[in-house]
Amino acid sequence: MGVGEVKETESFREKIARRAAQEVEDGMIINLGIGIPTLVADFIPKEKNVLFHAENGILGTGPSPAKGEENPMLCNAGGFPVTLATGASFFDSATAFAIIRRGLLDMTILGVLEVSQRGDIANWIVPGKRVPGMGGAMELAQKAKKVMVLTTHLDKNGRSKIVRECSLPLTAVGAADLIITDMAVLEVCEDGLYLREVMYPYSVADVIGATEAELKIDKEVRVFR
């Protein structure tokens, strides 16, 4: 199977990542968060020249290595093995964060615990739970030119993660531009949250019923397969 092709038994995580990859443009510098976002690199067509940035000091990570071909010396900020693209470079973590804080990233792709209809993001801590640290999420969400959120539509208890108001501590206010879940593609606009696509086999009614946030529709809703 080639890069970006659909597998016969595609998981919902891979489907989200495949849809997210369609938002990536040639020449972009992108940071991938932990979880589903790391899969996006596997769906970028080879003809697109994209550099993925990692906070631990790499610019130019490639797709995930094949099982058994991992290099123990090469990993992303989450500790997961990566490959390198042509022209990749290494630097210290201070330089990695300087790239973020200077606003040089074209896009960051983040996972979330909650995201509000205004684009507020909560993704760094659940009160009372141990957490190793917030990483670069706060800087990434505020400084990247575009912020894309990838998440399951519902949490493990069946509650909507797309909410009117976040109940968890915020990572950033009004930062999300696009939200892609296993059920839908949602665009955050100044006047609200718009339903742009539904993920097959879900319907518009399914998405509205599963979403706590108020959804707006101003044009035909596409179906992503």
Side-chain angles (χ1 to χ4, degrees), residues 26-214:
D26 188 59
M28 277 187 163
I29 300 175
I30 301 171
N31 182 281
L32 300 177
I34 296 172
I36 298 174
T38 62
L39 300 176
V40 174
D42 298 341
F43 292 93
I44 304 299
K46 291 182 178 179
E47 61 269 19
K48 282 190 177 179
N49 180 28
V50 177
L51 289 176
F52 290 107
H53 167 278
E55 298 102 299
N56 59 329
I58 308 176
L59 186 61
T61 64
S64 303
K67 190 173 182 179
E69 297 182 10
E70 301 90 344
N71 182 336
M73 301 303 292
L74 292 177
C75 69
N76 59 24
F80 295 99
V82 295
T83 59
L84 296 179
T86 302
S89 58
F90 299 94
F91 34 80
D92 60 22
S93 188
T95 302
F97 274 86
I99 291 172
I100 298 171
R101 292 167 181 163
R102 183 65 179 81
L104 298 178
L105 295 180
D106 295 297
M107 182 188 293
T108 186
I109 306 177
L110 300 172
V112 296
L113 298 168
E114 290 179 333
V115 58
S116 82
Q117 62 193 38
R118 293 190 303 273
D120 302 336
I121 293 172
N123 77 344
W124 74 277
I125 190 172
V126 175
K129 297 287 183 72
R130 294 187 64 181
V131 61
M134 65 186 69
M138 291 185 176
E139 284 115 333
L140 287 164
Q142 293 182 54
K143 294 295 186 179
K145 295 170 186 172
K146 182 174 182 178
V147 177
M148 186 159 55
V149 166
L150 308 186
T151 180
T152 55
H153 209 90
L154 306 175
D155 67 16
K156 62 182 180 181
N157 296 312
R159 294 187 294 254
S160 175
K161 295 170 74 172
I162 320 301
V163 296
R164 292 176 182 270
E165 300 279 349
C166 291
S167 60
L168 297 172
L170 293 183
T171 303
V173 174
D177 297 300
L178 194 69
I179 304 165
I180 301 177
T181 78
D182 53 326
M183 295 183 72
V185 178
L186 310 169
E187 183 181 7
V188 182
C189 300
E190 288 186 4
D191 61 338
L193 186 61
Y194 284 81
L195 176 59
R196 298 305 191 198
E197 299 176 28
V198 294
M199 296 290 205
Y200 181 83
Y202 296 106
S203 67
V204 170
D206 291 332
V207 175
I208 292 174
T211 307
E212 181 198 307
E214 178 185 351

